Amino acid sequence: MKLIKFKTYAEMSEYGAKIVQKTVKEKPKCVLGLATGSTPLGLYENLIKKYNNNCIYFGDVKTINLDEYYGIDGKHDQSYRYYMNKNFFDKIGILYANTFVPNGMAENIEKECKEYEDRIDEIGIDLQILGIGNNGHIGFNEPCNHFPSKTHLVDLSESTIRANSRFFANLSDVPTKAITMGIGSIMKAKKIILLATGKKKEIIEKAMYGDVTPEVPASILQFHPNVTVLICEEM
Ligand code: F6R
């Protein structure tokens, strides 16, 4: 795993956006694996600027997101589909049909997860963007006693529910389950960049240099051949 440190969040975001730009330039029909949360917002803003300056074209790009809350639909303002449309897809001229986010309202969750995993295999992820939870989760693969291999429905941990509650009016409104790519699904990506701000420093150190254990899900990335961790000093 390669680590690159930045002083500011702005510098980290700019660098991350350049990696995405390079990927799209080299392979216009590439597939980007995307994350939500606070951390990648600056990267998305940079990509939107590049798009507005005609420096990147998303017309042939496909995207596939890591996860979605279970039990809320894409129109809900806290759903990850809503987040992606509002913060990125609506502003980059991408075809919505080429953007994939799990359907948190699917009636048959098993079928939804299987079809999502099949899609990952069919299109293949060229570049996966990741954030990291305070407990080391990637996607919504929470610390547990094994590394889940495929897309699945997961119970969110208490600490994740608490962390996510900052976006909801009440703690009781926060979804307690999510559909997430598995650790195995993420590991299939050809290249991975993980972005983290200063407050994640400790867990990043554990993930990069500690034991590889499902107690720290991101530690599995030590076994991936092409991971770059971008971290900034700012919180
Ligand atoms: C989001 C995701 C999560 C976040 C993580 C960090 O799609 O999969 O793993 O990346 O919870 O979130 P932030 O960036 O808000 O600290």
Side-chain angles (χ1 to χ4, degrees):
M1 281 163 100
K2 190 166 132 192
L3 176 71
I4 309 182
K5 290 184 183 169
F6 299 87
K7 275 227 149 13
T8 65
Y9 176 74
E11 284 167 340
M12 178 183 77
S13 304
E14 210 181 306
Y15 190 89
K18 276 192 187 145
I19 296 177
V20 177
Q21 183 182 26
K22 186 165 175 276
T23 305
V24 176
K25 199 168 174 210
E26 283 171 5
K27 187 177 173 190
K29 289 190 175 175
C30 69
V31 176
L32 303 175
L34 300 179
T36 59
S38 319
T39 315
L41 281 171
L43 182 152
Y44 295 144
E45 273 167 28
N46 270 273
L47 288 174
I48 293 164
K49 265 190 222 144
K50 288 183 192 300
Y51 170 76
N52 288 334
N53 293 330
N54 290 321
C55 296
I56 189 165
Y57 176 67
F58 288 98
D60 293 321
V61 170
K62 287 194 173 92
T63 68
I64 185 149
N65 265 75
L66 284 166
D67 41 21
E68 176 61 285
Y69 285 126
Y70 173 67
I72 58 179
D73 76 18
K75 293 199 179 74
H76 190 293
D77 65 1
Q78 290 308 325
S79 73
Y80 287 173
R81 163 53 78 180
Y82 187 93
Y83 166 114
M84 288 310 305
N85 286 354
K86 180 170 143 246
N87 294 308
F88 197 40
F89 299 151
D90 288 351
K91 300 172 181 170
I92 57 163
I94 197 166
L95 296 170
Y96 290 98
N98 283 344
T99 68
F100 304 103
V101 181
N103 174 8
M105 294 299 280
E107 271 174 29
N108 185 338
I109 286 294
E110 250 174 56
K111 184 164 172 272
E112 173 67 17
C113 292
K114 159 118 185 35
E115 286 175 2
Y116 207 73
E117 192 66 31
D118 287 348
R119 191 176 303 280
I120 295 166
D121 289 336
E122 182 199 320
I123 63 180
I125 299 173
D126 293 291
L127 174 67
Q128 176 67 55
I129 294 162
L130 294 177
I132 185 169
N134 297 319
N135 58 7
H137 73 218
I138 48 175
F140 272 137
N141 293 279
E142 300 283 31
C144 65
N145 58 10
H146 67 292
F147 289 112
S149 61
K150 296 185 174 166
T151 303
H152 61 289
L153 184 68
V154 67
D155 288 319
L156 299 177
S157 73
E158 243 185 83
S159 73
T160 299
I161 294 170
R162 234 179 297 117
N164 294 349
S165 69
R166 66 193 193 277
F167 301 113
F168 291 82
N170 302 299
L171 188 64
S172 57
D173 296 338
V174 187
T176 57
K177 289 177 192 285
I179 298 174
T180 181
M181 281 188 197
I183 291 288
S185 337
I186 294 170
M187 291 293 278
K188 287 180 210 165
K190 290 191 191 123
K191 180 175 172 147
I192 295 176
I193 52 174
L194 189 157
L195 284 86
T197 54
K199 66 179 174 220
K200 305 274 174 64
K201 204 171 148 226
E202 227 171 276
I203 191 69
I204 283 289
E205 269 175 21
K206 262 196 190 170
M208 289 188 71
Y209 309 115
D211 291 344
V212 174
T213 162
E215 292 296 326
V216 182
S219 64
I220 192 77
L221 298 174
Q222 293 180 35
F223 289 155
H224 190 284
N226 195 345
V227 179
T228 305
V229 176
L230 310 181
I231 188 159
C232 65
E233 283 169 17
E234 280 176 356
M235 293 299 179

